[in-house]
Amino acid sequence: MLKGREYVPLLYTRLAEIRAMRELPESSKNLMVPVFKLRPWLNSKELDRAVEVVEEAVGNRLYGLDLDEFKLNLNPDPSKTAATQFLQLFEKAEGYKNYYDLVASGPNRVPVFRGINDADLEIEKQIEHILHIDRGVFVRAKVGEPGSLLEIARKLAENDIDNAVFIIDCGWGRDLLVSAALASQFAQRLVNTSDKFEIVIAGSSFPDDFKGLGERFTIPAIERQLYFEVRRQVNFDALYYGDWGSTRPPTDPIPMKHVPRIDTARSTDWVCWRSEDDETYVEVAQRVITDPAWDGKLGIWGEYMVVATAEEEAVRIKAPAMAAAVRVNIHLHQQANFDNPGGLHVGDEAVGDDL
């Protein structure tokens, strides 16, 4: 499934990530197979709108359709149709039939194995759905909670399902490298089960606290170091890089004072400019585009938005969600072209309508 691709970003269907993906150059989208955790889309009445915005962003390309358990745990209002439809996807009846039916109804949707930490995950029934859909499967496991990962691998191999992609998700935090040994063990055991599987090593090291770091600072991206360490320990050609697209996991709202900040992404780090002395986004952006670290020639939406902000255009960064979309857009582009630096500078790029 991943042959010819370079990157597997793991994303939520939040506004920033959808906008960042939608505005990527087509050449970058061609180098990745994203996996989205679906949730009802903003104030839409039907759940279908959430799938539509994903497919508008990805285009006519394969993507993994996962479900956002965080939104499930929020106990959404069942009186809302989209919320009810969303809850039905988690029902275990007939091997998660509702979920697999949704996957099957779109030509580019790839299933993500459900409930691998459950005692009654109905492996055989889920495999029937996977065989019927015939687009392969993602199996995503947290490195510290592998559940039935290896049992699923054995069953998939027994059923000759070779186009399976196992995602070893090392989670979120600045200490990702502590998971390298365990991730390597699981990767090696998967290779021993079938050398036809593809394996993704993923995680996120983007921080959640920027206090005391000053008005400009650089944050190393640990994700690449993690991937390289696992690749050093596991000699396997079909080992792929993944990450969370420079995002953090969803959390409950926390009251705090918002401080404008603009981040840009390079291949192995992020450069951040944070408001000092009550600077606005416009003033922060003006610092960004005069900084030696600023490229400005990638030709992608994220950079255009920073320039538009510095020049006080009508459509510009005015809030954290747009600032996050800019960072994620540049990060996805950088990681898709990590081994293809010639593709980084893409020339003119159309700017889409607001979502």
Side-chain angles (χ1 to χ4, degrees), residues 257-269:
K257 179 184 178 182
H258 168 62
V259 179
R261 195 188 76 247
I262 295 176
D263 313 316
T264 60
R266 299 187 293 197
S267 60
T268 58
D269 60 26

Side-chain angles (χ1 to χ4, degrees), residues 97-128:
K97 183 177 183 303
N98 292 341
Y99 165 74
Y100 284 101
D101 283 350
L102 175 66
V103 173
S105 65
N108 293 317
R109 304 167 191 170
V110 178
V112 178
F113 212 97
R114 309 313 318 160
I116 73 167
N117 295 102
D118 294 345
D120 55 345
L121 71 166
E122 295 194 80
I123 292 180
E124 299 291 353
K125 192 66 181 179
Q126 291 202 58
I127 286 178
E128 287 181 23

